[in-house]
Amino acid sequence: DKGANKESVSVGLYDYPVLMAADILLYNTDAVPVGEDQVQHVELTRTLAQRFNREYGQVFKAPEVVIKKQGARIMGLDDPTKKMSKSASSPANYIALTDAPEIAGKKITRAVTDSGTEIKYDLKNKPAISNLMTIYSLLAGHSFKELEKNYQGKGYGDFKKDLAEEVTKFLIEFQIKYNSFHDDEIKQILKDGAERIRPIAEETLKKVKNKLGIN
């Protein structure tokens, strides 16, 4: 998908799963929270860890996959059959955390819906409204049953209007915090983090080299 309509792509596109595995294994990771589309990468990480341990001796942890039951995959606002993605051809597909709140609200009100007007969570028969309900539930903390009850007898218009307000509210609060950080502060956080995890990485790498006999 990433290489669609392109004559060539960077080798990084193919190396990415291995680089991700290296980042995970280097720090003795116990569990990796991912979306459904990333599960295969963690499974590759587990395979590499287990194969190395089997061939050369115990070094790596085989991390567990952690997937949220709700919101593991948010679908596109313009096409509920495809995952929401910032690399989508249309900005109407996704909401970016840096979108102007009013623009994000308009994306919600213009999001595609299913036939009929009932607000009901039904992934098979009503994938579009189910996707919007998932977003609403995650932002507002309402269960699907509560949303169905609250919008019983109402149409998609009322639902999307209220959801747009929730999205706008969330983005305003998020962006206030986001914009409160300064470059120097971020650099210091990164520096502190690097100093904390560098010994872990160095110890893991030392063990690997010892097992491979390349010290």
Side-chain angles (χ1 to χ4, degrees):
D1 290 343
K2 298 291 185 182
N5 303 317
K6 296 182 180 179
E7 291 186 6
S8 64
V9 293
S10 167
V11 69
L13 179 64
Y14 301 101
D15 284 346
Y16 171 72
V18 178
L19 294 173
M20 178 176 172
D23 280 338
I24 295 170
L25 296 176
L26 193 59
Y27 302 104
N28 294 323
T29 307
D30 293 305
V32 185
V34 293
E36 290 179 346
D37 59 319
Q38 296 286 312
V39 170
Q40 59 188 341
H41 294 161
V42 182
E43 289 299 334
L44 172 63
T45 303
R46 290 176 54 82
T47 297
L48 293 173
Q50 292 164 352
R51 183 176 297 178
F52 185 97
N53 292 343
R54 184 172 62 249
E55 296 293 331
Y56 300 100
Q58 185 67 37
V59 171
F60 296 119
K61 289 182 179 180
E64 298 297 325
V65 179
V66 178
I67 304 177
K68 292 184 66 175
K69 292 183 178 180
Q70 184 180 334
R73 176 172 292 198
I74 302 298
M75 311 308 285
L77 299 178
D78 60 347
D79 184 352
T81 66
K82 296 180 180 179
K83 188 187 74 165
M84 182 182 286
S85 173
K86 65 183 181 208
S87 60
S89 59
S90 170
N93 170 273
Y94 62 90
I95 292 176
L97 291 174
T98 53
D99 272 348
E102 63 273 14
I103 297 297
K106 289 180 180 178
K107 289 183 181 181
I108 291 293
T109 58
R110 295 170 181 170
V112 299
T113 49
D114 313 287
S115 59
T117 59
E118 184 182 16
I119 308 301
K120 181 176 178 59
Y121 187 82
D122 184 344
L123 280 176
K124 182 178 179 180
N125 298 308
K126 299 176 75 68
I129 198 65
S130 296
N131 186 48
L132 295 178
M133 289 178 70
T134 297
I135 297 172
Y136 202 144
S137 177
L138 291 170
L139 291 180
H142 299 317
S143 69
F144 296 139
K145 291 296 183 183
E146 287 175 322
L147 291 174
E148 290 174 354
K149 181 179 180 181
N150 292 343
Y151 290 95
Q152 187 173 5
K154 299 180 181 179
Y156 291 151
D158 287 336
F159 176 86
K160 292 201 292 184
K161 176 179 175 293
D162 291 345
L163 174 55
E165 290 179 359
E166 289 292 338
V167 169
T168 299
K169 176 184 175 183
F170 168 80
L171 287 181
I172 289 173
E173 294 175 354
F174 171 85
Q175 290 174 12
I176 289 173
K177 186 174 182 179
Y178 175 82
N179 291 317
S180 71
F181 290 106
H182 300 288
D183 288 348
D184 289 343
E185 185 178 1
I186 298 298
K187 289 177 181 178
Q188 188 61 49
I189 291 172
L190 293 173
K191 182 180 178 181
D192 293 343
E195 290 176 353
R196 287 179 59 190
I197 63 175
R198 187 176 293 113
I200 299 173
E202 290 175 345
E203 180 63 22
T204 303
L205 190 57
K206 180 180 179 180
K207 290 179 180 178
V208 170
K209 288 182 176 180
N210 283 336
K211 294 294 185 182
L212 295 175
I214 58 175
N215 270 347

